[in-house]
Amino acid sequence: GVTIKNADGETTHATVTNYLGQLTLTFTDGDMKGHTLKMIDVTLNNGVETETHAFAFGDYDADAPATFAQAMLGQNGQRVHIVSKCNDWKSGVCDFSTVFDSSLFRGRALHDYDGCNQYSDCTSCIGSEVEGLSCGWCMGGTIVYNDT
């Protein structure tokens, strides 16, 4: 099973099953008891220090998205959560809590804070600038550069 904690510190629990590469969380308590979240797990990076995955979720009680790229569009309740963990060789506990202040995101999706999320494909994103932020991190798509 899995324990999920929100920004307010409240927890809920779910069982996890895997069928043909689609993971299903079935909530066992709380407001979502009996509901499901289905997702695909996409490995993004296996670095020296950490392993990073994207969990591409469908909406509640709906199928998982077919692809990571589809989920990144954020349509029909689909969403992507990026998670990282320390590699097994690390001793002790990895603590990512100092990376950001979770109170900044309370009540809003992280997606709302990044103006670059308006781009639905890599080519549009690469090299764009939104409110002084240079866009350009792109995974899972084809990048087409111009000749200039």
Side-chain angles (χ1 to χ4, degrees), residues 2-143:
V2 64
T3 300
I4 302 167
K5 183 163 69 170
N6 70 16
D8 293 324
E10 299 165 340
T11 60
T12 188
H13 303 87
T15 60
V16 181
T17 56
N18 183 348
Y19 180 72
L20 300 176
Q22 178 174 271
L23 298 170
T24 301
L25 303 179
T26 303
F27 291 91
T28 57
D29 59 14
D31 293 340
M32 295 306 298
K33 184 176 181 177
H35 292 278
T36 61
L37 268 179
K38 296 179 181 177
M39 67 178 169
I40 56 173
D41 176 5
V42 179
T43 300
L44 296 180
N45 179 30
N46 286 323
V48 175
E49 297 285 330
T50 60
E51 179 180 320
T52 302
H53 291 261
F55 294 147
F57 289 92
D59 201 0
Y60 290 100
D61 300 316
D63 286 332
T67 65
F68 171 71
Q70 177 186 353
M72 286 296 291
L73 296 175
Q75 298 173 345
N76 302 315
Q78 295 179 349
R79 60 201 168 278
V80 175
H81 295 268
I82 307 296
V83 295
S84 295
K85 71 172 191 163
C86 283
N87 286 331
D88 292 339
W89 65 267
K90 297 286 289 182
S91 61
V93 176
C94 286
D95 184 1
F96 294 96
S97 65
T98 61
V99 176
F100 67 91
D101 179 356
S102 64
S103 67
L104 297 174
F105 304 107
R106 197 166 283 144
R108 289 182 65 192
L110 185 58
H111 183 276
D112 296 340
Y113 288 89
D114 187 348
C116 294
N117 285 324
Q118 67 183 294
Y119 301 107
S120 61
D121 61 79
C122 293
T123 302
S124 301
C125 178
I126 296 296
S128 297
E129 188 172 305
V130 177
E131 298 175 5
L133 176 68
S134 295
C135 304
W137 182 259
C138 186
M139 302 207 50
T142 302
I143 301 169

